[in-house]
Amino acid sequence: MISENLRKRIRMTYELLNDIQGVRLKMQARERALGKADICVEVKELQELERRLQRSLKEMIKDLPIYREFLSNIPGIGIVSSAGLIAYFDPHKAQHISSFWKRAGLHVVNGKAARRTAGQKSDFNPKIKSFVLYRIGMNFLRVKTPYYSDLYEKYKQLENEKLNNPIENPKNCPYYEECRKKTNKTPACKMHVHLRALRRMVKRFLADLWIVWRKLEGLPITKPYAVEKLGHHMEVSPYVERFVKG
Protein backbone atom coordinates (compact mmCIF):
# COMPACT_ATOMS: atom_id res chain seq x y z
CA MET A 1 0.00 0.00 0.00
CA ILE A 2 1.29 3.44 -0.94
CA SER A 3 1.55 5.77 2.02
CA GLU A 4 -0.32 9.05 1.85
CA ASN A 5 2.96 10.88 2.34
CA LEU A 6 4.51 9.21 -0.71
CA ARG A 7 1.39 9.76 -2.79
CA LYS A 8 1.45 13.43 -1.84
CA ARG A 9 5.13 13.75 -2.80
CA ILE A 10 4.46 12.07 -6.15
CA ARG A 11 1.52 14.37 -6.83
CA MET A 12 3.40 17.55 -5.90
CA THR A 13 6.37 16.56 -8.06
CA TYR A 14 4.13 15.56 -10.97
CA GLU A 15 2.18 18.83 -10.87
CA LEU A 16 5.37 20.90 -10.51
CA LEU A 17 6.78 19.15 -13.57
CA ASN A 18 3.62 19.94 -15.53
CA ASP A 19 3.78 23.60 -14.46
CA ILE A 20 7.40 23.94 -15.53
CA GLN A 21 6.72 22.18 -18.81
CA GLY A 22 3.87 24.61 -19.46
CA VAL A 23 6.15 27.61 -18.85
CA ARG A 24 8.85 26.12 -21.05
CA LEU A 25 6.44 25.57 -23.94
CA LYS A 26 5.21 29.18 -23.67
CA MET A 27 8.79 30.43 -23.68
CA GLN A 28 9.62 28.40 -26.76
CA ALA A 29 6.58 29.85 -28.51
CA ARG A 30 7.71 33.34 -27.53
CA GLU A 31 11.22 32.62 -28.79
CA ARG A 32 9.77 31.68 -32.15
CA ALA A 33 7.73 34.89 -32.26
CA LEU A 34 10.16 37.45 -30.78
CA GLY A 35 13.57 35.89 -30.90
CA LYS A 36 15.71 34.30 -28.26
CA ALA A 37 17.29 37.58 -27.13
CA ASP A 38 14.00 38.64 -25.53
CA ILE A 39 13.97 35.66 -23.13
CA CYS A 40 15.65 36.16 -19.76
CA VAL A 41 15.73 32.50 -18.75
CA GLU A 42 17.28 29.83 -20.95
CA VAL A 43 14.83 27.18 -22.12
CA LYS A 44 17.53 24.57 -21.64
CA GLU A 45 17.58 25.38 -17.91
CA LEU A 46 13.91 24.49 -17.67
CA GLN A 47 14.47 21.36 -19.71
CA GLU A 48 17.18 20.27 -17.29
CA LEU A 49 14.85 20.92 -14.36
CA GLU A 50 12.19 18.80 -16.08
CA ARG A 51 14.68 15.96 -16.45
CA ARG A 52 15.61 16.20 -12.76
CA LEU A 53 11.97 16.02 -11.74
CA GLN A 54 11.41 13.06 -14.05
CA ARG A 55 14.32 11.27 -12.39
CA SER A 56 12.81 12.05 -8.98
CA LEU A 57 9.47 10.59 -10.08
CA LYS A 58 11.19 7.47 -11.34
CA GLU A 59 12.92 6.96 -8.00
CA MET A 60 9.60 7.35 -6.18
CA ILE A 61 7.59 4.89 -8.27
CA LYS A 62 10.07 2.39 -9.74
CA ASP A 63 9.60 -0.20 -6.99
CA LEU A 64 5.83 0.16 -6.62
CA PRO A 65 4.09 -3.06 -7.77
CA ILE A 66 1.47 -1.24 -9.87
CA TYR A 67 4.24 0.43 -11.86
CA ARG A 68 6.63 -2.51 -12.02
CA GLU A 69 4.02 -5.17 -12.79
CA PHE A 70 1.52 -3.25 -14.93
CA LEU A 71 2.05 0.36 -15.99
CA SER A 72 5.65 -0.06 -17.16
CA ASN A 73 4.51 -2.76 -19.59
CA ILE A 74 1.99 -0.64 -21.48
CA PRO A 75 3.26 1.31 -24.52
CA GLY A 76 2.26 4.96 -24.26
CA ILE A 77 2.53 5.12 -20.48
CA GLY A 78 5.90 6.36 -19.30
CA ILE A 79 7.26 7.51 -15.97
CA VAL A 80 5.37 10.81 -15.94
CA SER A 81 1.98 9.35 -16.89
CA SER A 82 2.46 6.50 -14.41
CA ALA A 83 3.23 9.01 -11.67
CA GLY A 84 0.08 10.95 -12.50
CA LEU A 85 -2.07 7.81 -12.26
CA ILE A 86 -0.49 6.80 -8.96
CA ALA A 87 -0.93 10.33 -7.61
CA TYR A 88 -4.59 10.71 -8.60
CA PHE A 89 -6.05 7.22 -8.07
CA ASP A 90 -6.19 5.06 -4.95
CA PRO A 91 -7.62 1.50 -5.17
CA HIS A 92 -8.20 1.46 -1.42
CA LYS A 93 -10.69 4.32 -1.78
CA ALA A 94 -12.38 2.86 -4.86
CA GLN A 95 -14.66 -0.07 -4.08
CA HIS A 96 -15.84 -0.40 -7.68
CA ILE A 97 -14.50 0.22 -11.19
CA SER A 98 -17.02 3.02 -11.51
CA SER A 99 -15.24 4.83 -8.66
CA PHE A 100 -12.20 5.32 -10.92
CA TRP A 101 -14.47 6.47 -13.75
CA LYS A 102 -16.17 9.03 -11.54
CA ARG A 103 -12.83 10.25 -10.21
CA ALA A 104 -11.89 11.06 -13.81
CA GLY A 105 -15.27 12.56 -14.74
CA LEU A 106 -16.08 9.67 -17.08
CA HIS A 107 -19.29 8.70 -15.32
CA VAL A 108 -22.84 9.33 -16.51
CA VAL A 109 -25.27 11.86 -15.05
CA ASN A 110 -28.93 11.62 -16.11
CA GLY A 111 -27.97 9.46 -19.05
CA LYS A 112 -25.27 11.84 -20.34
CA ALA A 113 -21.53 12.21 -19.89
CA ALA A 114 -20.71 14.29 -16.80
CA ARG A 115 -19.96 17.94 -17.48
CA ARG A 116 -19.05 20.98 -15.44
CA THR A 117 -21.92 23.40 -14.80
CA ALA A 118 -21.29 27.09 -14.24
CA GLY A 119 -21.89 28.09 -10.63
CA GLN A 120 -21.97 24.51 -9.38
CA LYS A 121 -19.26 22.41 -7.76
CA SER A 122 -18.25 19.48 -9.94
CA ASP A 123 -18.40 15.96 -8.54
CA PHE A 124 -15.16 15.16 -10.37
CA ASN A 125 -11.73 16.70 -10.87
CA PRO A 126 -11.44 18.39 -14.32
CA LYS A 127 -7.65 18.24 -14.07
CA ILE A 128 -7.77 14.45 -13.75
CA LYS A 129 -10.27 14.17 -16.61
CA SER A 130 -8.00 16.17 -18.90
CA PHE A 131 -4.97 14.14 -17.83
CA VAL A 132 -6.68 10.79 -18.46
CA LEU A 133 -8.33 11.70 -21.76
CA TYR A 134 -5.71 13.85 -23.43
CA ARG A 135 -2.46 12.54 -21.97
CA ILE A 136 -3.17 8.85 -21.52
CA GLY A 137 -5.79 8.46 -24.26
CA MET A 138 -4.01 10.44 -26.95
CA ASN A 139 -0.70 8.74 -26.11
CA PHE A 140 -2.38 5.39 -26.79
CA LEU A 141 -3.46 6.63 -30.20
CA ARG A 142 -0.12 8.28 -30.95
CA VAL A 143 1.96 5.15 -30.31
CA LYS A 144 -0.79 2.75 -31.41
CA THR A 145 -0.80 0.92 -28.09
CA PRO A 146 -1.81 -2.71 -28.77
CA TYR A 147 -5.34 -3.58 -27.70
CA TYR A 148 -6.35 -0.11 -26.51
CA SER A 149 -5.85 1.60 -29.88
CA ASP A 150 -7.70 -1.33 -31.51
CA LEU A 151 -10.57 -0.76 -29.09
CA TYR A 152 -10.63 2.90 -30.10
CA GLU A 153 -11.09 1.97 -33.77
CA LYS A 154 -13.84 -0.47 -32.84
CA TYR A 155 -15.61 2.09 -30.66
CA LYS A 156 -15.19 4.76 -33.31
CA GLN A 157 -17.08 2.63 -35.82
CA LEU A 158 -19.82 1.83 -33.31
CA GLU A 159 -20.26 5.45 -32.25
CA ASN A 160 -20.34 6.61 -35.87
CA GLU A 161 -23.19 4.19 -36.52
CA LYS A 162 -25.04 5.37 -33.41
CA LEU A 163 -24.86 8.99 -34.57
CA ASN A 164 -25.96 8.14 -38.13
CA ASN A 165 -22.53 8.53 -39.73
CA PRO A 166 -21.55 12.19 -39.07
CA ILE A 167 -18.05 11.38 -40.32
CA GLU A 168 -19.47 11.36 -43.87
CA ASN A 169 -22.10 14.04 -43.33
CA PRO A 170 -22.10 16.25 -40.18
CA LYS A 171 -25.78 17.08 -40.68
CA ASN A 172 -26.66 13.48 -39.88
CA CYS A 173 -25.49 14.02 -36.30
CA PRO A 174 -28.40 14.44 -33.85
CA TYR A 175 -26.41 17.23 -32.17
CA TYR A 176 -25.75 19.15 -35.39
CA GLU A 177 -28.18 22.04 -34.77
CA GLU A 178 -27.20 22.27 -31.11
CA CYS A 179 -23.52 22.59 -32.04
CA ARG A 180 -24.22 25.01 -34.89
CA LYS A 181 -26.02 27.39 -32.54
CA LYS A 182 -23.09 27.38 -30.15
CA THR A 183 -20.39 27.99 -32.75
CA ASN A 184 -22.23 29.81 -35.57
CA LYS A 185 -20.18 27.62 -37.88
CA THR A 186 -20.61 24.30 -39.58
CA PRO A 187 -19.79 21.97 -36.67
CA ALA A 188 -17.26 19.19 -36.98
CA CYS A 189 -19.64 16.55 -35.65
CA LYS A 190 -17.13 13.82 -36.36
CA MET A 191 -15.44 15.07 -33.18
CA HIS A 192 -18.39 13.62 -31.26
CA VAL A 193 -17.41 10.23 -32.66
CA HIS A 194 -13.75 10.68 -31.76
CA LEU A 195 -14.41 11.88 -28.21
CA ARG A 196 -16.95 9.14 -27.51
CA ALA A 197 -14.55 6.46 -28.75
CA LEU A 198 -11.67 8.03 -26.81
CA ARG A 199 -13.79 8.11 -23.65
CA ARG A 200 -14.76 4.44 -23.98
CA MET A 201 -11.16 3.38 -24.61
CA VAL A 202 -9.90 5.28 -21.56
CA LYS A 203 -12.69 3.87 -19.39
CA ARG A 204 -11.56 0.39 -20.35
CA PHE A 205 -7.98 1.21 -19.42
CA LEU A 206 -9.09 2.57 -16.03
CA ALA A 207 -11.10 -0.61 -15.49
CA ASP A 208 -7.97 -2.67 -16.16
CA LEU A 209 -5.93 -0.43 -13.87
CA TRP A 210 -8.50 -0.87 -11.10
CA ILE A 211 -8.60 -4.66 -11.47
CA VAL A 212 -4.82 -5.11 -11.46
CA TRP A 213 -4.21 -2.60 -8.69
CA ARG A 214 -6.84 -4.17 -6.43
CA LYS A 215 -5.37 -7.61 -7.12
CA LEU A 216 -1.85 -6.45 -6.28
CA GLU A 217 -3.11 -4.87 -3.06
CA GLY A 218 -5.02 -8.01 -2.06
CA LEU A 219 -8.38 -6.27 -2.31
CA PRO A 220 -11.65 -7.89 -3.52
CA ILE A 221 -12.73 -7.48 -7.14
CA THR A 222 -16.27 -6.78 -8.29
CA LYS A 223 -17.70 -6.76 -11.79
CA PRO A 224 -18.95 -3.51 -13.39
CA TYR A 225 -22.66 -2.80 -12.96
CA ALA A 226 -23.34 -3.35 -16.68
CA VAL A 227 -21.79 -6.81 -16.47
CA GLU A 228 -23.15 -7.84 -13.05
CA LYS A 229 -26.69 -6.49 -13.39
CA LEU A 230 -27.35 -5.98 -17.10
CA GLY A 231 -25.59 -9.03 -18.47
CA HIS A 232 -23.17 -7.16 -20.71
CA HIS A 233 -19.99 -8.91 -21.83
CA MET A 234 -16.55 -7.66 -20.81
CA GLU A 235 -13.62 -9.47 -22.35
CA VAL A 236 -10.40 -9.87 -20.40
CA SER A 237 -7.71 -7.47 -21.53
CA PRO A 238 -4.35 -9.06 -22.44
CA TYR A 239 -2.73 -6.71 -19.91
CA VAL A 240 -4.90 -8.18 -17.15
CA GLU A 241 -4.98 -11.88 -18.05
CA ARG A 242 -2.14 -13.05 -15.82
CA PHE A 243 -3.61 -11.24 -12.82
CA VAL A 244 -7.04 -12.84 -12.99
CA LYS A 245 -6.24 -16.44 -13.97
CA GLY A 246 -7.62 -18.87 -11.47
Side-chain angles (χ1 to χ4, degrees):
M1 181 176 177
I2 303 172
S3 70
E4 282 304 312
N5 181 55
L6 177 57
R7 193 184 301 277
K8 183 177 180 180
R9 287 173 53 213
I10 293 171
R11 181 168 183 169
M12 290 177 64
T13 305
Y14 169 80
E15 292 186 347
L16 178 59
L17 173 58
N18 275 349
D19 290 343
I20 292 171
Q21 186 180 61
V23 171
R24 190 254 302 167
L25 292 173
K26 289 179 181 178
M27 287 179 62
Q28 288 179 317
R30 186 169 181 178
E31 280 189 354
R32 289 191 292 270
L34 302 177
K36 188 173 181 179
D38 188 62
I39 306 299
C40 60
V41 179
E42 290 285 348
V43 166
K44 63 182 180 182
E45 294 176 21
L46 295 179
Q47 291 174 325
E48 175 56 31
L49 183 53
E50 288 178 54
R51 286 190 286 269
R52 286 169 54 191
L53 290 171
Q54 288 172 5
R55 289 195 292 270
S56 294
L57 286 174
K58 183 175 182 179
E59 284 301 310
M60 283 186 264
I61 73 171
K62 68 178 183 180
D63 294 323
L64 298 177
I66 189 59
Y67 173 71
R68 188 179 64 245
E69 301 292 331
F70 181 64
L71 295 173
S72 64
N73 297 317
I74 301 178
I77 297 186
I79 288 291
V80 178
S81 293
S82 295
L85 290 165
I86 292 167
Y88 289 137
F89 295 91
D90 183 351
H92 289 268
K93 296 180 179 178
Q95 300 300 310
H96 307 284
I97 289 174
S98 57
S99 301
F100 270 18
W101 293 342
K102 187 172 183 179
R103 177 84 170 135
L106 301 178
H107 57 305
V108 174
V109 178
N110 297 324
K112 294 184 178 181
R115 294 183 179 180
R116 299 179 68 184
T117 302
Q120 296 182 16
K121 184 178 180 180
S122 299
D123 61 351
F124 64 91
N125 189 324
K127 182 186 295 185
I128 298 177
K129 183 174 184 177
S130 178
F131 159 67
V132 170
L133 279 176
Y134 302 112
R135 184 164 203 149
I136 302 294
M138 293 307 293
N139 273 358
F140 284 166
L141 300 187
R142 180 176 57 82
V143 305
K144 299 186 185 304
T145 302
Y147 184 70
Y148 294 121
S149 62
D150 294 334
L151 279 182
Y152 168 82
E153 294 299 332
K154 173 185 174 182
Y155 293 148
K156 187 176 178 180
Q157 182 177 349
L158 291 173
E159 294 299 334
N160 188 50
E161 292 173 0
K162 283 184 182 179
L163 295 177
N164 200 21
N165 194 15
I167 289 180
E168 292 295 328
N169 185 356
K171 290 185 178 181
N172 289 347
C173 179
Y175 305 104
Y176 178 83
E177 289 299 327
E178 178 183 338
C179 292
R180 188 178 63 81
K181 290 176 182 178
K182 291 179 180 178
T183 62
N184 293 319
K185 298 178 181 178
T186 300
C189 286
K190 62 183 179 181
M191 280 300 293
H192 291 314
V193 175
H194 164 67
L195 291 174
R196 285 181 171 210
L198 185 69
R199 181 175 179 272
R200 291 182 66 176
M201 175 190 70
V202 168
K203 286 184 69 174
R204 182 52 204 266
F205 164 71
L206 287 180
D208 291 346
L209 175 66
W210 181 87
I211 291 168
V212 173
W213 212 342
R214 296 272 296 185
K215 281 285 187 179
L216 290 172
E217 295 290 326
L219 299 169
I221 302 297
T222 58
K223 296 178 181 179
Y225 179 85
V227 175
E228 184 74 30
K229 302 296 184 181
L230 304 181
H232 293 187
H233 172 70
M234 181 178 176
E235 65 181 14
V236 177
S237 160
Y239 298 104
V240 173
E241 280 180 336
R242 69 186 180 93
F243 298 97
V244 297
K245 286 181 178 178

